[in-house]
Amino acid sequence: MVRSFETGETVVRRDVHRSGRVWNEQALRVLADIDEALVTACAPGAEARWPALYAKARDDGDRSVRTEAFEAMATGRWELADAVWQETDLLLWKPPATWFSINAFFVPDGAGRRLRNWYVNFEHPTRRTEAGFDTFDLTVDLLIHPDLTGWEWKDEDEYAHVRRLGIVSDTEHQAVDDARAQVLAMLADRAGVFAHAERWAAWSWEPAWPTPRLTRPTVAAERIAPEGG
């Protein structure tokens, strides 16, 4: 039986490498768990754990360090560092069987917040856990204008690099290609999440909500059973 989550519950999204090692994890608050998607959110201060090299790339403003992080992933050797979500409020829709999630990022605007952009993350389909759900980020992303009138691909160079490193297999690459077409069709038809884009664009994080926190102690790089055994 697949566990469902209650509105307001904290869940943990984890990216899990095929080796079974956790690549990163992020605490989120559940807004809805329905047939169409698990809808979650977080705000600045939410707890996370990221690869130490990713944290260094952000702190130093040096994107080349991200390349080192991918190379560490390919060798199976990395460390996790404690982190917190910064700057943006996040809404995340994760349909149960798709090779993507749809995200909306909100930034400060005067006394309130405004939708900065939609962001499609191409990733593995959801695998539910007792604490939340597991997936695996496949690097390439789609940035969509707030009013849905334009879009652009992001991180194609990094995607090519992880393909060369063997992190993304040919089977996963085909799944990503199919998912790209699926998302662009949804956007053109204003289907799925995009059918209610105006309503979601007006969403705001409730200040009274507790900050999402991870549910277990810090570990260097936890290993779990990989999918399939």
PDB file of all heavy atoms in Angstrom, residues 35-51:
ATOM      1  N   ASP A  35      -4.508  12.386  -6.459  1.00  0.00           N
ATOM      2  CA  ASP A  35      -4.152  11.462  -7.535  1.00  0.00           C
ATOM      3  C   ASP A  35      -3.214  12.114  -8.547  1.00  0.00           C
ATOM      4  O   ASP A  35      -2.295  11.479  -9.052  1.00  0.00           O
ATOM      5  CB  ASP A  35      -5.408  10.959  -8.248  1.00  0.00           C
ATOM      6  CG  ASP A  35      -6.238  10.009  -7.397  1.00  0.00           C
ATOM      7  OD1 ASP A  35      -5.696   9.491  -6.396  1.00  0.00           O
ATOM      8  OD2 ASP A  35      -7.415   9.803  -7.725  1.00  0.00           O
ATOM      9  N   GLU A  36      -3.455  13.388  -8.858  1.00  0.00           N
ATOM     10  CA  GLU A  36      -2.689  14.057  -9.906  1.00  0.00           C
ATOM     11  C   GLU A  36      -1.243  14.332  -9.497  1.00  0.00           C
ATOM     12  O   GLU A  36      -0.347  14.329 -10.338  1.00  0.00           O
ATOM     13  CB  GLU A  36      -3.358  15.370 -10.293  1.00  0.00           C
ATOM     14  CG  GLU A  36      -4.685  15.208 -11.008  1.00  0.00           C
ATOM     15  CD  GLU A  36      -5.845  14.977 -10.040  1.00  0.00           C
ATOM     16  OE1 GLU A  36      -5.601  14.956  -8.805  1.00  0.00           O
ATOM     17  OE2 GLU A  36      -6.978  14.828 -10.503  1.00  0.00           O
ATOM     18  N   ALA A  37      -1.010  14.608  -8.213  1.00  0.00           N
ATOM     19  CA  ALA A  37       0.337  14.980  -7.786  1.00  0.00           C
ATOM     20  C   ALA A  37       0.419  15.083  -6.269  1.00  0.00           C
ATOM     21  O   ALA A  37      -0.594  15.333  -5.594  1.00  0.00           O
ATOM     22  CB  ALA A  37       0.753  16.316  -8.402  1.00  0.00           C
ATOM     23  N   LEU A  38       1.632  14.921  -5.771  1.00  0.00           N
ATOM     24  CA  LEU A  38       1.958  15.315  -4.405  1.00  0.00           C
ATOM     25  C   LEU A  38       2.426  16.765  -4.481  1.00  0.00           C
ATOM     26  O   LEU A  38       3.407  17.069  -5.171  1.00  0.00           O
ATOM     27  CB  LEU A  38       3.054  14.422  -3.836  1.00  0.00           C
ATOM     28  CG  LEU A  38       3.583  14.791  -2.445  1.00  0.00           C
ATOM     29  CD1 LEU A  38       2.465  14.738  -1.397  1.00  0.00           C
ATOM     30  CD2 LEU A  38       4.735  13.878  -2.050  1.00  0.00           C
ATOM     31  N   VAL A  39       1.719  17.664  -3.810  1.00  0.00           N
ATOM     32  CA  VAL A  39       2.026  19.095  -3.865  1.00  0.00           C
ATOM     33  C   VAL A  39       2.645  19.497  -2.535  1.00  0.00           C
ATOM     34  O   VAL A  39       2.038  19.319  -1.472  1.00  0.00           O
ATOM     35  CB  VAL A  39       0.763  19.940  -4.129  1.00  0.00           C
ATOM     36  CG1 VAL A  39       1.140  21.404  -4.343  1.00  0.00           C
ATOM     37  CG2 VAL A  39      -0.004  19.399  -5.336  1.00  0.00           C
ATOM     38  N   THR A  40       3.867  20.039  -2.593  1.00  0.00           N
ATOM     39  CA  THR A  40       4.596  20.399  -1.390  1.00  0.00           C
ATOM     40  C   THR A  40       5.160  21.810  -1.538  1.00  0.00           C
ATOM     41  O   THR A  40       5.118  22.403  -2.618  1.00  0.00           O
ATOM     42  CB  THR A  40       5.735  19.408  -1.111  1.00  0.00           C
ATOM     43  OG1 THR A  40       6.609  19.367  -2.250  1.00  0.00           O
ATOM     44  CG2 THR A  40       5.203  18.012  -0.833  1.00  0.00           C
ATOM     45  N   ALA A  41       5.715  22.321  -0.448  1.00  0.00           N
ATOM     46  CA  ALA A  41       6.256  23.676  -0.472  1.00  0.00           C
ATOM     47  C   ALA A  41       7.324  23.828   0.595  1.00  0.00           C
ATOM     48  O   ALA A  41       7.385  23.050   1.553  1.00  0.00           O
ATOM     49  CB  ALA A  41       5.139  24.698  -0.237  1.00  0.00           C
ATOM     50  N   CYS A  42       8.165  24.843   0.409  1.00  0.00           N
ATOM     51  CA  CYS A  42       9.092  25.232   1.470  1.00  0.00           C
ATOM     52  C   CYS A  42       9.404  26.710   1.323  1.00  0.00           C
ATOM     53  O   CYS A  42       9.044  27.348   0.331  1.00  0.00           O
ATOM     54  CB  CYS A  42      10.354  24.385   1.486  1.00  0.00           C
ATOM     55  SG  CYS A  42      11.560  24.779   0.221  1.00  0.00           S
ATOM     56  N   ALA A  43      10.060  27.252   2.334  1.00  0.00           N
ATOM     57  CA  ALA A  43      10.413  28.667   2.381  1.00  0.00           C
ATOM     58  C   ALA A  43      11.816  28.797   2.956  1.00  0.00           C
ATOM     59  O   ALA A  43      12.366  27.817   3.479  1.00  0.00           O
ATOM     60  CB  ALA A  43       9.398  29.427   3.235  1.00  0.00           C
ATOM     61  N   PRO A  44      12.428  29.965   2.849  1.00  0.00           N
ATOM     62  CA  PRO A  44      13.771  30.136   3.394  1.00  0.00           C
ATOM     63  C   PRO A  44      13.866  29.656   4.841  1.00  0.00           C
ATOM     64  O   PRO A  44      12.980  29.914   5.657  1.00  0.00           O
ATOM     65  CB  PRO A  44      13.996  31.649   3.289  1.00  0.00           C
ATOM     66  CG  PRO A  44      13.203  32.045   2.088  1.00  0.00           C
ATOM     67  CD  PRO A  44      11.961  31.201   2.167  1.00  0.00           C
ATOM     68  N   GLY A  45      14.940  28.926   5.114  1.00  0.00           N
ATOM     69  CA  GLY A  45      15.142  28.351   6.434  1.00  0.00           C
ATOM     70  C   GLY A  45      14.850  26.875   6.502  1.00  0.00           C
ATOM     71  O   GLY A  45      15.258  26.197   7.462  1.00  0.00           O
ATOM     72  N   ALA A  46      14.127  26.328   5.508  1.00  0.00           N
ATOM     73  CA  ALA A  46      13.846  24.895   5.498  1.00  0.00           C
ATOM     74  C   ALA A  46      15.158  24.114   5.442  1.00  0.00           C
ATOM     75  O   ALA A  46      16.083  24.481   4.726  1.00  0.00           O
ATOM     76  CB  ALA A  46      12.962  24.532   4.310  1.00  0.00           C
ATOM     77  N   GLU A  47      15.228  23.025   6.191  1.00  0.00           N
ATOM     78  CA  GLU A  47      16.464  22.264   6.282  1.00  0.00           C
ATOM     79  C   GLU A  47      16.699  21.404   5.045  1.00  0.00           C
ATOM     80  O   GLU A  47      15.756  20.895   4.433  1.00  0.00           O
ATOM     81  CB  GLU A  47      16.448  21.377   7.528  1.00  0.00           C
ATOM     82  CG  GLU A  47      16.506  22.163   8.822  1.00  0.00           C
ATOM     83  CD  GLU A  47      16.577  21.280  10.054  1.00  0.00           C
ATOM     84  OE1 GLU A  47      16.264  20.070   9.948  1.00  0.00           O
ATOM     85  OE2 GLU A  47      16.946  21.796  11.124  1.00  0.00           O
ATOM     86  N   ALA A  48      17.970  21.254   4.714  1.00  0.00           N
ATOM     87  CA  ALA A  48      18.377  20.430   3.573  1.00  0.00           C
ATOM     88  C   ALA A  48      19.763  19.865   3.860  1.00  0.00           C
ATOM     89  O   ALA A  48      20.442  20.282   4.803  1.00  0.00           O
ATOM     90  CB  ALA A  48      18.397  21.261   2.296  1.00  0.00           C
ATOM     91  N   ARG A  49      20.173  18.891   3.054  1.00  0.00           N
ATOM     92  CA  ARG A  49      21.557  18.439   3.012  1.00  0.00           C
ATOM     93  C   ARG A  49      21.941  18.278   1.559  1.00  0.00           C
ATOM     94  O   ARG A  49      21.226  17.645   0.783  1.00  0.00           O
ATOM     95  CB  ARG A  49      21.745  17.120   3.790  1.00  0.00           C
ATOM     96  CG  ARG A  49      21.803  17.346   5.287  1.00  0.00           C
ATOM     97  CD  ARG A  49      22.272  16.111   6.035  1.00  0.00           C
ATOM     98  NE  ARG A  49      21.209  15.146   6.201  1.00  0.00           N
ATOM     99  CZ  ARG A  49      20.360  15.137   7.238  1.00  0.00           C
ATOM    100  NH1 ARG A  49      20.455  16.052   8.175  1.00  0.00           N
ATOM    101  NH2 ARG A  49      19.428  14.217   7.333  1.00  0.00           N
ATOM    102  N   TRP A  50      23.046  18.890   1.184  1.00  0.00           N
ATOM    103  CA  TRP A  50      23.511  18.905  -0.193  1.00  0.00           C
ATOM    104  C   TRP A  50      24.918  18.345  -0.248  1.00  0.00           C
ATOM    105  O   TRP A  50      25.642  18.347   0.762  1.00  0.00           O
ATOM    106  CB  TRP A  50      23.549  20.341  -0.730  1.00  0.00           C
ATOM    107  CG  TRP A  50      22.241  21.041  -0.767  1.00  0.00           C
ATOM    108  CD1 TRP A  50      21.010  20.481  -0.890  1.00  0.00           C
ATOM    109  CD2 TRP A  50      22.036  22.456  -0.672  1.00  0.00           C
ATOM    110  NE1 TRP A  50      20.042  21.459  -0.898  1.00  0.00           N
ATOM    111  CE2 TRP A  50      20.643  22.681  -0.756  1.00  0.00           C
ATOM    112  CE3 TRP A  50      22.891  23.548  -0.548  1.00  0.00           C
ATOM    113  CZ2 TRP A  50      20.082  23.947  -0.710  1.00  0.00           C
ATOM    114  CZ3 TRP A  50      22.331  24.822  -0.495  1.00  0.00           C
ATOM    115  CH2 TRP A  50      20.946  25.011  -0.578  1.00  0.00           C
ATOM    116  N   PRO A  51      25.368  17.905  -1.443  1.00  0.00           N
ATOM    117  CA  PRO A  51      26.781  17.548  -1.592  1.00  0.00           C
ATOM    118  C   PRO A  51      27.664  18.733  -1.209  1.00  0.00           C
ATOM    119  O   PRO A  51      27.364  19.882  -1.562  1.00  0.00           O
ATOM    120  CB  PRO A  51      26.914  17.205  -3.079  1.00  0.00           C
ATOM    121  CG  PRO A  51      25.531  16.825  -3.504  1.00  0.00           C
ATOM    122  CD  PRO A  51      24.608  17.697  -2.684  1.00  0.00           C
TER     123      PRO A  51
END
